[in-house]
Amino acid sequence: MKRVALVIAAVAALVAGCGGSDTDAADASTEAAATTTGAYEPGPFFGECGSITDAEVQSAFGAGPFSQVTRNSVGCQWETVGFSGPSVSFSWYRGSPIGRERAGSELIGRPAKDIAIDGNPGFEAEQGPLCEIGVQFGDDFFHWSITYSDQPAARPPCDVGNELAALTVERKQ
């Protein structure tokens, strides 16, 4: 279910990007040109998995042992019972607008509200057992997603997300 929602959000973002006026296209071209001409300022380094250990994720999430942990150059995912079960994920986006992620959440029915962690702007979007936290650093942002799926939540998902996001911000380099 979670993955279906993510696919829907991605398709919605692509469709939204395809529509619009010539002015929108010109604005997008100008923005793209600014990015490719060196206007991009890299944000801080967040480390593998947002500099959060498996034990810290487990402690914050509190939903049983992880059956799978996936790590790659842009993120991590911790799953308790496989593909459709409770999970936590961290993603790090460099040179990507946080507004697109926020809009995707809103398009699939998770209204986003403004937050700030240690002075860094972001958003929180919650619906049922799922919460997303995005925090911006200049042209970069990171994203935590927490879902208990159909399992009873051990803790409110946005409490978990905010705790993990605060640790990531605290440990940035």
Side-chain angles (χ1 to χ4, degrees):
M1 179 102 159
K2 170 181 66 173
R3 299 212 193 262
V4 171
L6 292 173
V7 169
I8 290 169
V11 169
L14 287 172
V15 170
C18 293
S21 67
D22 291 339
T23 303
D24 292 341
D27 289 345
S29 294
T30 302
E31 184 177 314
T35 301
T36 59
T37 59
Y40 169 74
E41 290 286 329
F45 179 71
F46 294 109
E48 182 180 70
C49 301
S51 297
I52 308 299
T53 68
D54 294 351
E56 288 170 322
V57 173
Q58 177 61 51
S59 175
F61 192 51
F66 297 117
S67 62
Q68 181 174 346
V69 178
T70 304
R71 291 175 173 80
N72 62 44
S73 63
V74 295
C76 298
Q77 182 157 344
W78 298 262
E79 298 175 340
T80 60
V81 291
F83 180 71
S84 64
S87 66
V88 176
S89 66
F90 169 82
S91 300
W92 179 9
Y93 298 89
R94 299 194 53 89
S96 181
I98 192 172
R100 184 172 29 216
E101 190 74 23
R102 180 183 182 134
S105 293
E106 292 178 340
L107 280 172
I108 57 174
R110 287 191 295 273
K113 67 177 186 178
D114 291 335
I115 63 167
I117 297 179
D118 196 28
N120 300 287
F123 74 92
E124 174 183 298
E126 184 174 18
Q127 181 183 41
L130 180 114
C131 180
E132 297 177 273
I133 305 288
V135 181
Q136 186 170 358
F137 287 82
D139 293 330
D140 299 344
F141 75 96
F142 68 78
H143 180 262
W144 280 98
S145 179
I146 293 81
T147 183
Y148 286 94
S149 297
D150 294 331
Q151 307 282 326
R155 292 183 60 203
C158 283
D159 287 359
V160 175
N162 278 292
E163 179 181 329
L164 295 171
L167 285 172
T168 299
V169 170
E170 177 183 304
R171 295 174 182 169
K172 73 185 183 307
Q173 300 173 19

